[in-house]
Amino acid sequence: MQTSSPPRSLSPVALRVRAVLNEWDPIGVHQISRAWPDDEYDDLILPILEALDVRPSVGELAAELRTVVEVDYGLPAPDGCHDAARSFLAIVP
């Protein structure tokens, strides 16, 4: 999974992915200020939706989330990758 350009308009599922991303806040922008834009993590929405298409395990998705933050953002792995992965997997039927 790699970051991508954010989608132009968000489907209901993509909006739920955005909500989980903002709640998880993997790089801590919402800790700085709640006024941070809601689209901060939109570059992760499409890669997460694509990853969900193959129905990964919680561990597999958590590992991908850690890698994206470490490689694409250049930051240490955030807490809560497994919890976020569970939340993302609960979005899709």
Side-chain angles (χ1 to χ4, degrees):
M1 176 187 320
Q2 293 181 326
T3 57
S4 68
S5 297
R8 291 185 182 193
S9 63
L10 299 178
S11 69
V13 172
L15 286 170
R16 293 197 326 239
V17 169
R18 177 193 266 179
V20 170
L21 284 165
N22 284 323
E23 183 179 323
W24 176 36
D25 193 21
I27 63 173
V29 296
H30 296 294
Q31 293 173 13
I32 296 167
S33 169
R34 282 317 244 165
W36 209 271
D38 284 342
D39 65 355
E40 177 63 25
Y41 299 114
D42 281 7
D43 60 330
L44 292 174
I45 292 174
L46 288 176
I48 289 171
L49 290 173
E50 289 171 0
L52 292 174
D53 280 344
V54 298
R55 298 296 294 169
S57 69
V58 170
E60 291 167 335
L61 185 55
E64 287 189 53
L65 294 170
R66 270 192 302 278
T67 299
V68 165
V69 174
E70 291 175 339
V71 174
D72 291 358
Y73 291 141
L75 296 170
D79 291 333
C81 289
H82 276 83
D83 291 335
R86 277 187 209 87
S87 294
F88 292 128
L89 288 165
I91 290 172
V92 293

